[in-house]
Amino acid sequence: MFDNKEDFKKTFALRLEERYGRSVEDSHITERYDILGEMVRDYAGAHWRVCREQLLKGNRRQLIYFSMEFLIGRLLTSNMQNLGIFEVAKDGLAEMGIDIGELEDMEADAGLGNGGLGRLAACFLDSIASLGYPGHGNTIRYEYGFFRQKFVNGKQVELPDQWLSNGFVFEVRKPKHSVEVKFYGHAETYLKANGEYALRTVNATCVRAVPYDVSVPGYRNGVANTLRLWSAEPSESNLPSDQNFEDYLNTLKELCHGLYPDDSTEHGRMLRLRQQYFLVSAGLQSCMRSYFNRYHTLDGIEKAYVFQLNDTHPILAIPEAMRLLLDEYGYGWDDAWNIVTHLFAYTNHTVMPEALEKWPVRYVQQLVPRVYMIIEEIHRRFNLFLNEKKVSDAARYNMQIIKDGQIHMTNMAIYVGYSVNGVAKIHTDILEAYTFKDFYELFPSKFNNKTNGVTHRRWLMYANPRLASIIDERIGEGWHKDFEHEIHKLLAFKDDEATLNAIMEAKAENKKDFASFVEKAYGIEIDPTSIYDVQIKRLHAYKRQLLNVFHIMYLYTRIHEDPSFHMVPHTYIFGAKAAPSYAYAKKIIELILAVADVVNSDPLVSPFIKIVFVENYGVSLAEKIIPAADLSEQISTAGKEASGTSNMKLMMNGAITIGTLDGANIEIADAAGRENEIIFGLTAEEVQRMVDEGTYNPWAIYNSDERIKRVLDGLFSGPWAKGDANRFRMIFDELMNQNDQFFVLADFDAYCKACEAADAFYEDKKAWARACLINIGGSGKFTSDRTIEEYNRDIWHLAKMDV
């Protein structure tokens, strides 16, 4: 490809001429971006080839990571950095009069994910490749992503995320690897040539699943893995005879239209199920076909592959694998079962039983009837096993795979999979003690914890080059590859005034950059010397953005009514999308925007408080916000957040956590020291006790705390209601008439005191800077490299590539 700046310039100019018939000077910015993207993709292609050849030659064990989302963000910069060609490209382009930053801004965030689940999967892919392990992601090539969020008249509006409108330069379409996925139809018995009876699916609707592969280069190690995106196209040989072609095409378009279809309708729920089956069937067929073509059997495939199921969405992979082995490859049940029970590992991401996926029996019966037959047989055999173990009736009921007309997907995954992991210590403890207590007693060896992590390369090295440079100067560059064991060396400088000043100066510059962005993007002037108080995460009631905005509403009233009140100026920064059908979450967004409108225009309050709710929050916006953040809001109800990952990214960049003892906050406080975070609120045990005993009464708090009464009454009569007493009634009703499910009012007083403590802490500049450094130096545990090494040690057992 190119080894130096001169080679780069020649190749770039030649490709522009060959592809677009233009010189560098005459080319358009979109053409320049395309050529640079192709060059980066092709540079990684050589690594791709070497790794693939090595895998095939040595029959190395590979990981397939099934996830409905991979929130990969932009790839251009991170891929160039990982490949070690960023500076060559930057300098070469500069000599041709091109600013690489302008080309970087041309790239759209890939519309392949939404929240922490997808960002975690993306971080994992980066770490797997950077550590040299053979591991590949599988998901759907969503044409319009989740949605593009726009605020119109103070409310969230969902628009299509047209991220593919200019193509996706990093993908390679591979039609020769396509497979056929079958929906509907029915199972029939037939006589095989050897005289045995077998089952097969007939009269099915066939869909051609075509893979688009995206290379995932490791950090300067010659390894390139794959993120495979499956796209639905018409079958080449099995077009439906009972459906006109236009309707058939519309069905296919729906499959890959967008992430997480609206589940408030039966059509939307069925579409979600179709997407899940499409993904896992395509991925499994591809792997099985590849293995069979090489060895003419599937014996031993469990030694060549491990499938990690990221949350409940891909669990249909388990009965589908059984179907393929039984119906397509002629295995008997026992031999197929022996393979499948050694193939799958499951990651749980929620402690809330109501969030564990269940599907109506009739949905699965209709959509994939043969798969449902296999689920029934798994269920029957599981009950025989429970009989043998003399399990109590209560425990048996809790563990049933099919009950009350529903298929409980997680119960099937725990029974069949060989590993079940939580994603933070408290999360795994709750799974074992409460959520899956009966399963844990039956299969204790299956359960393990793998605390989440984030890739420090994207979230510190590339997103925050000012801070990265300071760290390099103090401790060298060893942390680039070994963050877990090297970053702690920075702690030696926790009392070094020059280092503390340098870190705070870098933060100040990052804050100025973000202030400039906010003024340009939203027309809001914010004070870079104020506390940047950040809550960036999916909008859900348990994450308690409501607690944050209630506190702001309280401060607004206090500033107006108490002339002696003093507070450190804050810029409250929100970033969140609410699912289109989640009306309550959308109403909370509306409240935050309404409060922002009032506060930002109030001459008395705005010198102390500004609110910025960034529109269409995603990876690229996070890369602007996180390096500038002072305070990291991690205020979920204790016991409800599985782990969280924004807390880790913010910690790595020197933000102080204000949070509950929930998810990974506990481990963050342990790593940095409780004195360097601000911890408040009920514990998970206290919350659970109040739930079990039924002792919590939000009305008692409303009637005894004048601050809360004023805030809640303000939902009807405050300036944000704009004279409409019903505008925010939904929020009042959810809290007061649904018993404040997530204990917002119960933690309000403790949160107010924690915020006051944060202000006092911030005013002691040296102590604050010291805590920032300790957070950075203590964040080694939270690199996804550490998480992946633990997955591999305990679950995957992959060997590193020899490149």
Side-chain angles (χ1 to χ4, degrees):
M1 278 293 297
F2 52 89
D3 297 318
N4 54 54
K5 183 172 59 178
E6 295 307 316
D7 284 350
F8 173 85
K9 288 160 60 179
K10 288 177 185 174
T11 305
F12 186 85
L14 181 61
R15 287 197 173 205
L16 261 176
E17 184 180 323
E18 290 175 342
R19 176 85 182 266
Y20 293 109
R22 291 183 179 274
S23 66
V24 173
E25 294 77 13
D26 293 336
S27 59
H28 189 264
I29 189 170
T30 57
E31 296 166 343
R32 295 171 178 179
Y33 166 75
D34 273 349
I35 295 302
L36 179 60
E38 286 178 5
M39 289 172 68
V40 174
R41 181 195 67 204
D42 294 348
Y43 197 100
H47 298 172
W48 227 357
R49 178 185 58 79
V50 170
C51 292
R52 181 178 178 278
E53 289 174 354
Q54 188 180 122
L55 283 170
L56 293 176
K57 193 183 299 180
N59 187 27
R60 286 175 174 267
R61 182 171 171 84
Q62 300 177 65
L63 164 73
I64 304 297
Y65 196 88
F66 275 134
S67 180
M68 289 306 291
E69 50 173 308
F70 286 85
L71 194 61
I72 58 177
R74 296 173 175 176
L75 296 183
L76 183 65
T77 301
S78 62
N79 282 6
M80 284 193 290
Q81 293 277 18
N82 277 8
L83 292 166
I85 58 175
F86 181 80
E87 293 300 328
V88 170
K90 179 183 176 183
D91 293 345
L93 289 168
E95 290 192 6
M96 292 186 285
I98 300 171
D99 179 357
I100 195 171
E102 293 180 359
L103 300 189
E104 291 170 325
D105 289 340
M106 288 300 299
E107 184 177 5
D109 278 31
L112 300 172
N114 171 37
L117 184 79
R119 187 53 238 170
L120 180 77
C123 285
F124 278 9
L125 288 189
D126 177 83
S127 285
I128 291 165
S130 294
L131 292 168
Y133 294 117
H136 316 287
N138 266 234
T139 193
I140 291 174
R141 184 177 182 266
Y142 303 105
E143 286 191 45
Y144 297 102
F146 187 42
F147 62 83
R148 181 167 65 86
Q149 182 191 56
K150 193 167 180 61
F151 299 141
V152 178
N153 297 325
K155 298 180 182 180
Q156 172 181 291
V157 173
E158 300 89 32
L159 302 173
D161 177 7
Q162 296 173 284
W163 70 284
L164 285 171
S165 59
N166 292 318
F168 184 36
V169 71
F170 296 102
E171 69 183 6
V172 179
R173 184 173 184 269
K174 296 189 174 177
K176 73 171 185 176
H177 295 301
S178 63
V179 297
E180 292 245 315
V181 177
K182 296 180 179 180
F183 296 98
Y184 306 109
H186 64 271
E188 73 170 15
T189 306
Y190 71 101
L191 187 64
K192 297 198 293 187
N194 63 3
E196 296 177 354
Y197 284 98
L199 284 164
R200 63 188 173 197
T201 300
V202 297
N203 298 324
T205 298
C206 296
V207 176
R208 185 186 185 214
V210 179
Y212 288 70
D213 285 356
V214 180
S215 65
V216 183
Y219 181 70
R220 304 184 187 184
N221 62 355
V223 171
N225 290 328
T226 301
L227 171 58
R228 174 158 284 185
L229 315 176
W230 290 100
S231 183
E233 296 184 8
S235 170
E236 291 187 312
S237 55
N238 293 299
L239 292 175
S241 58
D242 59 346
Q243 185 181 31
N244 71 58
F245 191 66
E246 286 300 315
D247 290 343
Y248 174 59
L249 280 182
N250 288 333
T251 302
L252 301 187
K253 286 179 181 178
E254 272 193 325
L255 262 179
C256 299
H257 182 274
L259 172 66
Y260 300 140
D262 180 1
D263 62 356
S264 66
T265 67
E266 182 159 276
H267 179 80
R269 290 191 293 273
M270 184 65 95
L271 179 54
R272 284 196 181 200
L273 185 62
R274 283 167 51 207
Q275 285 185 331
Q276 292 176 10
Y277 182 71
F278 174 75
L279 168 61
V280 299
S281 181
L284 286 168
Q285 287 189 61
S286 177
C287 293
M288 288 184 177
R289 183 177 64 186
S290 174
Y291 187 90
F292 189 84
N293 286 344
R294 277 180 282 153
Y295 302 105
H296 311 295
T297 178
L298 291 185
D299 292 352
I301 192 172
E302 73 279 9
K303 296 185 179 72
Y305 286 100
V306 53
F307 295 91
Q308 187 73 41
L309 308 178
N310 191 32
D311 211 4
T312 56
H313 313 117
I315 291 174
L316 274 175
I318 290 171
E320 173 64 2
M322 285 296 294
R323 185 194 72 80
L324 290 167
L325 288 164
L326 295 169
D327 297 359
E328 305 296 332
Y329 291 96
Y331 278 75
W333 183 277
D334 291 342
D335 289 338
W337 186 252
N338 186 56
I339 291 173
V340 168
T341 52
H342 292 87
L343 268 184
F344 293 101
Y346 163 61
T347 299
N348 173 272
H349 285 277
T350 181
V351 298
M352 295 188 285
E354 65 271 20
L356 299 173
E357 202 162 54
K358 302 178 286 289
W359 289 111
V361 163
R362 62 187 179 87
Y363 282 18
V364 182
Q365 275 182 320
Q366 178 185 348
L367 187 72
V368 278
R370 176 64 177 134
V371 168
Y372 177 71
M373 293 170 66
I374 290 167
I375 294 173
E376 276 191 318
E377 182 62 13
I378 293 172
H379 172 78
R380 185 185 74 82
R381 291 177 183 238
F382 181 41
N383 276 282
L384 293 176
F385 174 79
L386 295 177
N387 288 341
E388 290 175 14
K389 296 295 180 181
K390 296 182 169 51
V391 172
S392 71
D393 288 346
R396 177 195 292 269
Y397 178 79
N398 289 337
M399 292 188 287
Q400 289 297 291
I401 295 169
I402 302 174
K403 61 180 175 182
D404 304 327
Q406 304 262 14
I407 302 169
H408 293 249
M409 305 303 289
T410 306
N411 290 358
M412 179 164 58
I414 298 173
Y415 171 49
V416 182
Y418 70 87
S419 169
V420 179
N421 75 276
V423 292
K425 186 179 184 303
I426 184 177
H427 171 229
T428 303
D429 289 346
I430 292 171
L431 294 182
E432 294 172 355
Y434 295 100
T435 314
F436 303 133
K437 177 177 180 290
D438 300 310
F439 274 112
Y440 179 63
E441 290 176 356
L442 196 59
F443 304 117
S445 63
K446 289 189 180 188
F447 285 78
N448 59 94
N449 178 59
K450 299 291 173 281
T451 297
N452 282 344
V454 300
T455 170
H456 62 278
R457 284 167 289 274
R458 179 183 281 267
W459 293 109
L460 177 49
M461 287 171 61
Y462 309 154
N464 197 347
R466 291 188 180 104
L467 178 57
S469 176
I470 294 167
I471 297 171
D472 286 348
E473 290 168 6
R474 279 10 180 233
I475 66 171
E477 298 182 359
W479 64 278
H480 295 190
K481 287 196 171 185
D482 189 6
F483 190 79
E484 180 185 4
H485 299 108
E486 291 288 322
I487 194 64
H488 74 91
K489 293 178 181 177
L490 188 65
L491 296 174
F493 297 87
K494 65 186 178 184
D495 295 309
D496 179 64
E497 194 168 331
T499 301
L500 297 179
N501 287 340
I503 288 174
M504 298 318 291
E505 285 166 11
K507 178 75 74 176
E509 290 303 310
N510 292 338
K511 292 172 74 171
K512 289 176 185 175
D513 287 348
F514 185 69
S516 297
F517 165 77
V518 167
E519 185 169 11
K520 182 178 178 182
Y522 308 113
I524 302 172
E525 288 187 31
I526 61 176
D527 179 5
T529 67
S530 65
I531 294 178
Y532 281 14
D533 192 329
V534 171
Q535 189 173 19
I536 43 175
K537 50 185 78 247
R538 182 168 54 90
L539 203 306
H540 194 287
Y542 81 83
K543 295 179 184 286
R544 299 201 300 191
Q545 286 92 345
L546 195 57
L547 180 59
N548 194 345
V549 74
F550 276 3
H551 177 247
I552 298 171
M553 292 160 67
Y554 156 69
L555 291 175
Y556 173 88
T557 302
R558 189 161 181 197
I559 291 169
H560 269 278
E561 296 181 353
D562 183 356
S564 66
F565 175 64
H566 167 76
M567 66 173 285
V568 178
H570 276 244
T571 299
Y572 293 94
I573 300 164
F574 292 90
K577 289 182 177 181
S581 60
Y582 192 177
Y584 182 54
K586 292 173 77 169
K587 186 58 71 172
I588 292 171
I589 289 179
E590 185 180 346
L591 175 63
I592 297 170
L593 292 172
V595 172
D597 190 45
V598 171
V599 165
N600 292 349
S601 59
D602 187 306
L604 183 62
V605 177
S606 59
F608 299 99
I609 301 174
K610 284 286 181 72
I611 301 174
V612 177
F613 200 136
V614 297
E615 201 171 57
N616 200 40
Y617 175 68
V619 174
S620 293
L621 277 169
E623 290 169 335
K624 297 179 187 297
I625 295 168
I626 288 169
D630 293 308
L631 205 54
S632 167
E633 296 272 357
Q634 308 297 331
I635 58 177
S636 54
T637 311
K640 300 302 181 185
E641 182 73 84
S643 169
T645 52
S646 70
N647 46 7
M648 301 171 186
K649 297 163 196 163
L650 286 155
M651 179 196 193
M652 278 181 187
N653 283 270
I656 307 302
T657 298
I658 178 170
T660 52
L661 287 172
D662 194 28
N665 296 351
I666 298 169
E667 292 162 79
I668 285 173
D670 289 343
R674 190 76 66 92
E675 69 278 8
N676 295 303
E677 317 295 352
I678 300 161
I679 302 299
F680 74 94
L682 296 167
T683 64
E685 293 77 17
E686 289 168 338
V687 168
Q688 191 61 47
R689 190 181 312 119
M690 292 168 79
V691 170
D692 292 343
E693 296 174 358
T695 54
Y696 180 51
N697 179 8
W699 284 103
I701 299 174
Y702 173 86
N703 289 319
S704 63
D705 190 326
E706 181 62 23
R707 298 167 303 174
I708 286 176
K709 187 176 189 305
R710 294 282 299 274
V711 167
L712 288 175
D713 290 352
L715 293 172
F716 300 100
S717 58
W720 23 83
K722 292 187 177 177
D724 182 355
N726 291 314
R727 186 178 183 189
F728 299 116
R729 182 181 297 276
M730 177 192 289
I731 294 174
F732 184 92
D733 289 346
E734 186 72 24
L735 292 172
M736 306 310 296
N737 299 331
Q738 301 298 322
N739 212 49
D740 186 14
Q741 181 183 0
F742 297 109
F743 296 82
V744 173
L745 306 190
D747 271 342
F748 182 80
D749 179 61
Y751 181 57
C752 288
K753 290 173 180 173
C755 292
E756 289 171 5
D759 282 10
F761 197 178
Y762 187 77
E763 293 205 288
D764 185 342
K765 298 302 182 186
K766 185 172 182 181
W768 184 272
R770 188 176 187 273
C772 290
L773 183 145
I774 291 172
N775 270 274
I776 299 163
S779 64
K781 176 179 182 177
F782 304 106
T783 171
S784 47
D785 288 4
R786 186 269 315 154
T787 314
I788 292 305
E789 290 287 19
E790 291 182 3
Y791 270 97
N792 193 57
R793 179 193 68 204
D794 299 336
I795 302 173
W796 299 338
H797 311 300
L798 308 171
K800 292 193 176 187
M801 308 279 278
D802 303 320
V803 292

